[in-house]
């Protein structure tokens, strides 16, 4: 427990100007400090660190505790401290005694005027060295009136050159994620939860600390941390931290936050009708309000802070704000309309009934429109019961086709509860467009197209993507690419439909073997994702689904997915603000793919488990199965055979060739990693038989490479592998031939030689267990002290340093922080006795070269002695091949 406390306390060392040891040394040299920072910036923690460092360095610290109860009593804080060394403060200007020790005062705004005046006088006379901390106001905070000029004098000591001022800034996102990692059991928190915690903390270290501890406790108990935050126990540590955090916010900001929390996804233009414009702009700039990238700039409030804002204002006051918004919209419905406001009106009518709510005073068309918005929102949220109730209420006012559709969707959802069947989101949106087109003539958009035209285009896209999905499941990826390409050519389709088509076409082209066309599709999709405003908007689920497909496409093609992974990290932050359970599930699924691609099996399994615990239906069954197989493969490579086998055994391939082949491929990994090579060859042969004669070049190359690595490939299969490498532009193609013909010693020692070519898909932070090599080449000689003393990560970074990469470039390539890279280099230098970073790189590179030379001599000697590898005729044909011009010469591989 004590070690856990020390670990949590160390989080405050993250950030600028927080080196307590350096500040303590300055203070002991006689320099006074004024530490300034807003609430939650870590002032108190820094002061505790300085106090501890002063004691460690042999000095004496006098801690003066301030309190509001003593702020009006003359010398109240000084007397309460009862330290004889502070007697000189009471003595006044006639006493020239120099204080024995350093005075530490936190929250100087709570000092009484006499104590403040005496401390300022003593610091100015150089009779006292002090570390004084005061709270600064955040923008728009309401500052309490300061009735003591003496306290202002303490704050201004730095202005007069009598003290050094230390400004503690608020937490940025990068520092916040680093802080989370420091907490014990932070591994229990998945990526969407971490992103949500960072947003909810509102840049406060103190609030983030409470949130993380609360979330970890919920995760240990099997609860969803994000759901648990909806109900916070009064007077708990988290509740107190929240109360203090919002205590100085102006009333206008509290009303904006609490109101928009109730009016979820309110359009910015509509919000300015009810709330102060300056307040809205300031809250968006600070991040407490999030505006999505749609043209309407729909707003989402930080639910944790806005929940506390509602508590401070009172529920009745917030109800009055929301009801007033509804009444105004209904009165001005010919001028403007807001779906977010309409939903709250429908909820009020539903709760009070037609008599008390005044619903019947409005025209039938208006009542039907309110019901339609509410039914649609409930259906999108998965609340079929309320959707049916709203639709029935609206149909009682007017028979509208769009309302009939919502009633049908709700009835279907209620009938399939527990069956696992859900309506496709694209199909639902298309039917809604058709219903709107049938209901009224909406005119033409800026392209001259009607809603009906766009709905028809969306329908064609959905049909073509369904064809592509069926073809891909049969491993006919050329046909899949052709169908998806036709879907991507439907320029009249809605943005969400076009985005689905582009990423589907890109992934199909990658698996079919044309990386050039795949990249063109992915670039077009990235342009859509990067657009500041998109007509009709792209929801979080649309963007996340696209990233899942793009990550999978890069991984299958053996391409560098670092850019896509970085985009995913940005999307997680956006999803934490905009998304609900479905979006968080998709974010978790995407993170699972990214972690699996990086060889981080445990994190990948955690992400997928968390995603499936929220809204499993958000991820298609086929996608879920493929992700689970990817996780199982990484678990096997990490030595977790039982976990990997458990996943493979419970999955049902449902007779789908793609799933069957992928399952056999993963089984090969598990068996080979366990050293069961004969069984692995059987599984590899089964996977290869399924891709034989199919247009799935990326999968076929992997299957042929597996057979070659296991010594089970025929001469024809080796020729086919060479031919595929020559006719496709996949990054993995040339590397497959290179590695099959002459693998390095590091590759030779792996339990399973995987085709992963880039840092994103090949690095890991944990040590790999040692297994017997899959092939029958002689074992490589033992590596001497330089290599043996270094961890896999240190060795990898040292080689990159030898190539001339800077620490920042290494950090970018390996997805580490610069400080982590610096730490690895420092530890590696200490282990091998390198005098500099450059010498470390030269030493490790020289050792690798010696190892390569020794291994080559050993293999040559074995060949001369007649020791032939299984399948040697095929291996000899590969060895005789010239080096492929596209082959990678330096590989970042697992150790």
């Amino acid at each position: 427990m004590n070690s856990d406390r020390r670990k949590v306390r160390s989080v405050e060392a993250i950030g600028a100007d927080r080196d307590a040891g350096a500040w303590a040394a300055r203070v002991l040299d006689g320099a006074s400090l004024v530490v300034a920072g807003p609430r939650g910036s870590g002032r108190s923690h820094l002061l505790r660190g300085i106090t501890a460092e002063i004691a460690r360095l042999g000095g004496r610290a006098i801690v003066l505790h301030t309190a509001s109860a003593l702020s009006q009593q003359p010398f109240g804080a000084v007397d309460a401290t009862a330290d004889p060394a502070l007697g000189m403060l009471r003595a006044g200007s006639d006493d020239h005694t120099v204080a024995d020790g350093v005075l530490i005062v936190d929250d100087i705004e709570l000092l009484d005027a006499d104590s403040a005046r005496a401390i300022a006088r003593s610091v100015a006379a150089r009779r006292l060295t002090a570390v004084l901390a005061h709270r600064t106001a955040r923008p728009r905070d309401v500052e309490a009136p300061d009735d003591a000029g003496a306290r202002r004098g303490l704050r201004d000591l730095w202005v007069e050159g009598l003290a050094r001022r230390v400004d503690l800034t608020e937490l940025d996102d990068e520092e916040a994620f680093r802080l989370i990692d420091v907490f014990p059991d932070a591994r229990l928190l998945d990526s969407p939860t971490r992103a949500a915690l960072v947003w909810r903390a509102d840049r406060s270290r103190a609030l983030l600390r409470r949130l993380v501890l609360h979330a970890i406790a919920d995760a240990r108990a099997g609860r969803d941390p994000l759901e648990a935050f909806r109900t916070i126990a009064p007077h708990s540590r988290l509740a107190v931290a929240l109360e203090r955090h919002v205590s100085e916010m102006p009333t206008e900001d509290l009303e904006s936050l609490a109101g928009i929390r109730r009016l979820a996804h309110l359009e910015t233009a509509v919000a300015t009708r009810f709330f102060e414009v300056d307040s809205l702009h300031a809250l968006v700039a600070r991040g407490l309000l999030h505006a999505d990238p749609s043209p309407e700039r729909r707003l989402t409030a930080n639910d944790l802070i806005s929940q506390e804002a509602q508590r401070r204002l009172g529920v009745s006051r917030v109800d009055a704000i929301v009801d007033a918004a509804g009444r105004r919209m209904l009165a001005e419905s010919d001028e403007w309309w807001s779906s977010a406001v309409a939903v709250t009106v429908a909820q009020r009518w539903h709760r009070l009934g037609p008599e008390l709510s005044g619903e019947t005073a409005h025209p039938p068309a208006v009542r039907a429109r309110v019901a339609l918005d509410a039914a649609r929102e409930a259906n999108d949220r998965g609340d079929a019961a309320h959707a049916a109730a709203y639709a029935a209420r609206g149909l009682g006012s007017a028979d509208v086709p769009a309302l009939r559709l919502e009633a049908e969707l709700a009835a279907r959802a209620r009938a399939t509860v527990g069956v696992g069947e859900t309506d496709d989101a694209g199909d639902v949106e298309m039917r809604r467009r058709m219903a709107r087109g049938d209901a009224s003539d909406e005119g033409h958009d800026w392209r001259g197209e009607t809603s009906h035209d766009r709905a028809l285009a969306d329908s064609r896209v959905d049909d073509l993507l369904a064809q592509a999905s069926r073809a891909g499941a049969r491993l006919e990826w050329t046909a899949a690419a052709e169908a998806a390409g036709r879907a991507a050519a439907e320029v009249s389709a809605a943005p969400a439909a076009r985005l689905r088509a582009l990423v589907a076409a890109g992934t199909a082209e990658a698996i079919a073997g044309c990386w050039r066309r795949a990249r063109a599709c992915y670039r077009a999709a990235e342009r859509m994702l990067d657009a500041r405003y998109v007509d009709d908007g792209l929801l979080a689920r649309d963007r996340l689904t696209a990233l899942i497909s793009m990550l999978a496409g890069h991984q299958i093609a053996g391409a560098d997915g670092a850019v896509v992974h970085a985009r995913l990290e940005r999307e997680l932050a956006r999803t934490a603000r905009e998304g609900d359970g479905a979006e968080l599930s998709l974010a978790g699924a995407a993170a699972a793919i990214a972690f699996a691609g990086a060889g981080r099996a445990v994190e990948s399994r955690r992400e997928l488990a968390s995603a499936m615990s929220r809204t499993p239906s958000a991820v298609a069954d086929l996608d879920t199965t493929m992700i689970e197989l990817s996780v199982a493969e990484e678990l096997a490579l990490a030595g977790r055979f039982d976990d990997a086998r458990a996943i493979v055994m419970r999955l049902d391939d449902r007779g789908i060739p793609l799933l069957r082949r992928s399952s056999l491929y993963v089984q090969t990994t598990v068996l080979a990693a366990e050293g069961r090579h004969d069984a692995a060859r059987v599984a590899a042969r089964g996977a290869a038989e399924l891709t034989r004669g199919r247009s799935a070049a990326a999968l076929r190359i992997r299957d042929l490479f597996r057979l070659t690595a296991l010594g089970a490939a025929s001469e024809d299969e080796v020729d086919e592998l060479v031919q595929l490498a020559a006719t496709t532009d996949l990054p993995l193609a040339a590397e497959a031939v290179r590695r099959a013909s002459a693998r390095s010693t590091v590759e030779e020692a792996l339990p399973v030689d995987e085709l992963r070519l880039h840092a994103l898909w090949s690095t890991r932070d944990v040590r790999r267990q040692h297994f017997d090599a899959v092939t029958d080449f002689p074992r490589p000689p033992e590596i001497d002290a330089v290599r043996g003393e270094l961890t896999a990560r240190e060795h990898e970074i040292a080689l990159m340093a030898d190539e001339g990469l800077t620490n920042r470039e290494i950090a970018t390539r390996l997805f580490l922080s610069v400080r982590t890279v610096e730490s690895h280099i420092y530890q590696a230098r200490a282990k091998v006795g390198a005098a500099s970073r450059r010498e470390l790189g030269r030493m490790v590179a020289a050792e690798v070269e010696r190892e390569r030379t020794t291994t080559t001599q050993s293999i040559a000697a074995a060949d001369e002695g007649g020791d032939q590898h299984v399948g040697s005729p095929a291996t000899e044909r590969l060895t005789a091949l010239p080096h492929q011009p596209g082959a990678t010469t330096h590989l970042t591989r697992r150790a």
Side-chain angles (χ1 to χ4, degrees):
M1 178 62 74
N2 290 336
S3 63
D4 285 355
R5 286 201 188 99
R6 286 196 298 270
K7 194 174 184 183
V8 173
R9 285 173 183 164
S10 70
V11 302
E12 300 303 336
I14 295 177
D17 289 332
R18 295 176 189 273
D19 189 341
W23 291 124
R26 283 175 175 263
V27 168
L28 290 176
D29 285 340
S32 292
L33 301 178
V34 175
V35 181
R39 189 185 295 278
S41 60
R43 288 173 293 108
S44 300
H45 286 282
L46 179 58
L47 259 63
R48 284 197 288 269
I50 292 174
T51 303
E53 287 296 317
I54 288 174
R56 187 181 67 81
L57 295 173
R60 180 170 181 261
I62 308 168
V63 180
L64 190 151
H65 296 284
T66 59
S68 56
L70 301 174
S71 60
Q72 300 301 319
Q73 179 179 346
F75 292 102
V78 172
D79 292 342
T81 302
D83 192 303
L86 297 183
M88 45 88 69
L89 295 177
R90 264 189 171 278
S93 58
D94 295 334
D95 191 341
H96 299 287
T97 306
V98 177
D100 178 23
V102 177
L103 180 65
I104 310 290
V105 187
D106 195 5
D107 291 328
I108 60 174
E109 58 272 10
L110 296 179
L111 275 174
D112 61 274
D114 294 293
S115 295
R117 191 175 295 109
I119 293 171
R121 186 169 56 244
S122 298
V123 171
R126 306 295 184 184
R127 292 186 290 113
L128 176 66
T129 301
V131 179
L132 311 171
H134 75 94
R135 185 174 69 248
T136 57
R138 293 168 300 186
R140 293 181 58 80
D141 274 0
V142 178
E143 293 189 77
D146 190 349
D147 57 357
R151 286 191 285 265
R152 287 197 298 272
L154 278 179
R155 292 198 300 266
D156 290 343
L157 284 173
W158 69 275
V159 178
E160 299 168 353
L162 300 173
R164 167 77 179 270
R165 173 163 169 153
V166 181
D167 286 291
L168 300 183
T169 59
E170 293 181 292
L171 202 61
D172 63 34
D173 286 357
E174 181 180 353
E175 290 175 349
F177 284 113
R178 289 168 58 198
L179 288 180
I180 293 175
D181 284 333
V182 174
F183 282 79
D185 285 342
R187 56 182 173 75
L188 298 175
L189 304 178
D190 63 312
S191 297
T193 297
R194 291 169 183 240
L197 292 178
V198 170
W199 186 43
R200 283 162 172 78
D202 187 30
R203 308 182 189 179
S204 167
R205 290 168 178 262
L207 189 52
L208 180 64
R209 176 192 297 271
R210 293 300 163 203
L211 286 172
V212 173
L213 292 174
H214 195 284
I216 289 173
D218 289 327
R220 284 199 197 104
R223 298 186 296 268
D224 183 350
L226 301 185
E227 288 295 324
F229 285 137
R230 298 181 187 276
T231 54
I232 299 173
H235 311 300
S236 65
R237 292 178 183 270
L238 177 56
V240 172
L242 265 176
E243 181 180 1
R244 291 169 62 85
H245 187 74
V246 305
S247 61
E248 296 164 354
M249 292 182 68
T251 302
E252 295 84 358
D253 290 2
L254 296 176
E255 289 179 344
S256 297
L257 288 170
I260 292 174
R261 175 175 177 265
R262 294 277 297 276
L263 298 166
H265 307 298
L266 184 67
E267 302 87 345
T268 297
V270 176
T272 56
R273 296 177 184 270
F274 315 126
F275 306 107
E276 290 289 339
V277 175
D278 289 343
S279 171
L280 293 174
H281 289 168
L283 291 172
V284 169
R286 178 169 180 80
L288 286 173
L289 286 180
H290 169 72
D292 73 9
S294 69
E296 293 80 12
R297 303 290 285 168
R298 296 182 180 90
L299 299 172
T300 307
N302 182 316
D303 57 349
L304 193 71
I305 306 299
S306 59
Q307 179 179 318
E308 178 62 18
Q310 175 172 296
R311 191 195 67 79
R312 291 182 68 84
L313 293 171
V315 175
S316 59
R317 183 169 178 177
V318 180
D319 284 343
I321 294 172
V322 174
D323 291 346
R327 287 193 300 271
R328 181 175 173 183
M329 184 193 73
L330 294 173
E332 302 172 0
S333 59
D334 291 338
E335 178 185 346
W336 63 275
W337 189 269
S338 169
S339 298
V341 178
V343 169
T344 63
V345 171
Q347 291 170 346
R348 183 172 181 272
W349 289 354
H350 179 75
R351 183 176 68 254
L352 298 179
E355 300 300 329
L356 294 177
S357 66
E359 173 185 358
T360 55
H362 301 282
V366 172
R367 300 203 303 269
R369 190 174 183 184
V370 169
L372 176 61
D373 285 339
R376 183 173 293 152
E377 187 271 342
N379 268 329
D380 289 343
R381 196 166 25 90
D383 187 353
H386 278 97
Y390 293 137
R393 198 181 198 92
L395 289 170
S397 301
D399 188 6
V400 179
L403 268 173
R404 290 200 305 270
L405 172 60
E406 297 303 327
E408 177 190 339
L409 293 173
R412 175 175 170 78
R414 298 175 75 181
T416 57
V417 171
V419 178
E421 298 178 1
T422 58
D423 290 291
D424 179 77
D427 180 61
V428 168
E429 186 58 31
M430 182 272 295
R431 294 171 66 187
R432 283 173 173 168
R433 289 180 180 278
M434 295 289 287
R436 289 200 299 270
D438 292 342
S440 63
D441 183 8
E442 297 184 1
H444 295 71
D445 65 8
W446 60 277
R447 286 181 296 264
E449 299 164 351
T450 65
S451 176
H452 186 75
D453 293 336
R454 179 168 286 192
L456 290 176
D458 289 355
S459 178
R460 291 192 295 271
V461 168
D462 290 335
D463 289 342
L464 288 168
L465 292 184
Q467 293 178 29
S469 179
R470 290 191 293 269
R474 298 192 305 269
L475 295 173
E476 300 293 345
W477 285 99
T478 298
E482 190 273 335
R486 287 165 51 201
E490 289 284 350
V491 294
S492 299
R498 288 209 67 230
L499 181 63
R500 291 199 306 273
L502 284 169
V503 296
T507 302
E509 292 286 4
I511 300 176
C514 185
W515 184 238
R516 177 181 58 81
R517 288 198 291 264
R519 282 189 300 174
C521 293
Y522 287 156
R523 289 193 186 109
E526 288 170 354
R527 285 193 293 271
M528 290 189 67
L529 292 172
D530 289 336
R532 184 174 181 183
Y533 297 113
V534 179
D535 184 31
D536 284 354
L538 289 174
L539 299 177
R541 68 187 65 183
D542 300 321
R543 299 190 297 266
L544 287 167
T545 302
L547 289 177
I548 287 176
S549 184
M550 292 167 69
L551 280 168
H554 280 76
Q555 185 174 6
I556 291 170
D560 188 352
V563 174
V564 184
H565 189 253
R567 187 183 294 275
L568 171 62
E569 291 184 338
R570 296 193 298 270
E571 195 59 47
L572 285 174
R574 181 185 292 180
T575 303
R577 293 157 170 77
E578 296 179 23
D580 55 17
E583 281 78 12
L584 292 174
S585 291
L586 285 167
I593 295 176
F595 278 125
R600 298 167 63 177
V602 176
E603 291 94 332
S604 180
R605 182 174 58 175
R606 176 198 67 200
E607 297 293 334
L608 187 60
S610 297
M612 295 299 100
S613 69
R614 290 190 169 108
T615 308
S617 60
V619 187
D621 290 342
L622 184 61
D623 291 338
T624 301
T625 302
M626 295 297 288
I627 296 172
E628 285 187 295
L629 286 170
S630 181
V631 172
E633 183 170 31
E634 290 305 322
L635 289 170
L637 291 171
R640 296 172 174 263
F641 305 128
D642 293 339
D643 294 338
R645 194 179 295 105
I647 293 177
V648 174
M649 294 301 293
R650 74 165 180 265
L651 295 179
D652 181 8
D653 59 37
R654 291 167 283 167
I656 299 175
L658 174 63
L659 293 183
R660 179 61 180 159
R661 177 264 167 198
S662 300
S663 178
L664 286 169
Y665 189 88
V666 175
Q667 290 179 45
T668 305
T669 303
V670 176
L671 294 167
E674 289 179 316
R676 299 165 59 188
H677 300 154
D678 290 339
R681 293 182 183 103
V682 172
R685 173 59 61 191
E689 289 301 320
L690 287 169
T691 54
R692 182 189 300 276
R694 304 294 179 94
S695 56
L699 305 182
R700 183 62 177 168
I701 288 172
R702 292 179 181 277
D703 292 340
L704 293 173
F705 176 80
R706 273 283 173 86
L707 289 174
T708 304
L710 290 166
S714 66
E715 292 187 11
D716 289 340
E717 286 168 333
V718 172
D719 288 339
E720 182 183 358
L721 176 58
V722 175
Q723 183 66 22
L724 283 172
T727 56
T728 66
D729 61 348
L730 295 173
L732 64 85
E735 179 63 18
V737 174
R738 196 281 303 168
R739 202 178 300 175
S741 60
R743 285 177 289 178
S744 69
T745 305
V746 174
E747 293 161 356
E748 192 63 46
L750 293 174
V752 183
D753 196 354
E754 263 298 276
L755 286 175
R756 290 189 174 156
L757 313 183
H758 298 278
L760 173 61
W761 306 124
S762 61
T763 59
R764 62 168 65 243
D765 292 327
V766 296
R767 292 174 182 260
R768 178 175 299 285
Q769 298 182 20
H770 295 285
F771 304 99
D772 291 334
V774 174
T775 58
D776 297 327
F777 281 124
R779 295 281 299 172
E782 293 295 327
I783 304 171
D784 67 15
V786 171
R787 174 67 184 278
E789 293 180 1
L790 300 184
T791 66
R793 179 68 83 190
E794 291 163 357
H795 187 269
E796 181 178 44
I797 290 175
L799 288 176
M800 290 185 176
D802 182 62
E803 292 178 356
L805 297 180
T806 65
N807 289 352
R808 184 168 296 280
E809 289 170 338
I810 295 173
T812 300
R813 181 172 296 188
L814 298 182
F815 274 88
L816 300 173
S817 68
V818 176
R819 286 193 178 184
T820 300
V821 173
E822 292 171 349
S823 175
H824 281 306
I825 290 177
Y826 176 80
Q827 294 171 15
R829 285 176 53 198
K831 288 180 180 180
V832 303
S836 66
R837 180 180 183 277
R838 181 176 298 178
E839 183 179 349
L840 169 68
R842 283 200 300 265
M843 291 174 66
V844 174
E847 184 58 39
V848 170
E849 183 60 33
R850 285 196 298 271
E851 173 198 347
R852 183 181 294 114
T853 302
T854 304
T855 303
T856 302
Q857 294 171 351
S858 299
I859 294 175
D863 287 341
E864 291 175 2
D867 184 9
Q868 298 296 321
H869 178 258
V870 177
S872 57
T875 305
E876 290 170 2
R877 291 169 62 87
L878 278 168
T879 306
L881 291 173
H883 179 72
Q884 298 295 319
T888 303
T889 56
H890 172 72
L891 298 177
T892 303
R893 294 291 305 156
R894 298 187 188 88

